[in-house]
Amino acid sequence: QVQLVESGGGSVQTGGSLRLSCVASGMSIRYYCMGWFRQASGKEREEVTTMVAYGNTKYTDSVRGRFTVSRDNTKNTLYLQMNNLKPDDTAVYYCALQTGAYCSGNWAYWGQGTQVTVSA
């Protein structure tokens, strides 16, 4: 079975940092597009960042310069380093995977989410 499990969420003050992890099982992530999404209470799900299989990344404007996505293929893990956190970053964060190298298809697999709360 394919499974994605996020961890690393928690509560932090404005300006703090968190590092989220997404451990995959049932597939080798090295071949696939992956991404991080978030959904704040009462708002639509938002794409935060994507990474194609070979490493190129995209970020939504609100996190560019503060968040960094990376992957460790040997550990089958995707990371999201979040720095200078703001209250607007408060959301449930999800990782996801496409069954293709490029981020041009559907998001086939999703994790269960991890809560990030940033207090003013």
Side-chain angles (χ1 to χ4, degrees):
Q1 63 177 355
V2 176
Q3 188 175 54
L4 305 174
V5 179
E6 302 97 334
S7 63
S11 297
V12 66
Q13 296 184 107
T14 297
S17 297
L18 288 171
R19 184 175 176 85
L20 307 184
S21 299
C22 173
V23 179
S25 60
M27 89 296 286
S28 296
I29 68 169
R30 63 174 293 178
Y31 300 108
Y32 305 122
C33 164
M34 298 190 73
W36 287 97
F37 297 77
R38 66 187 182 186
Q39 187 165 25
S41 180
K43 300 186 69 175
E44 297 290 324
R45 185 185 66 196
E46 176 187 26
E47 180 184 287
V48 177
T49 180
T50 61
M51 173 181 273
V52 300
Y54 60 86
N56 275 20
T57 58
K58 295 181 179 179
Y59 297 90
T60 192
D61 288 347
S62 63
V63 310
R64 190 175 298 109
R66 300 187 297 120
F67 291 11
T68 303
V69 63
S70 61
R71 71 169 79 195
D72 186 337
N73 291 330
T74 66
K75 297 180 179 179
N76 225 31
T77 301
L78 186 76
Y79 301 97
L80 183 66
Q81 178 67 47
M82 305 185 295
N83 297 326
N84 193 24
L85 283 160
K86 304 174 180 179
D88 283 349
D89 296 319
T90 296
V92 178
Y93 284 71
Y94 302 89
C95 68
L97 179 148
Q98 295 189 23
T99 55
Y102 299 93
C103 300
S104 58
N106 295 323
W107 295 98
Y109 300 100
W110 294 83
Q112 84 290 345
T114 186
Q115 176 71 48
V116 171
T117 302
V118 185
S119 60

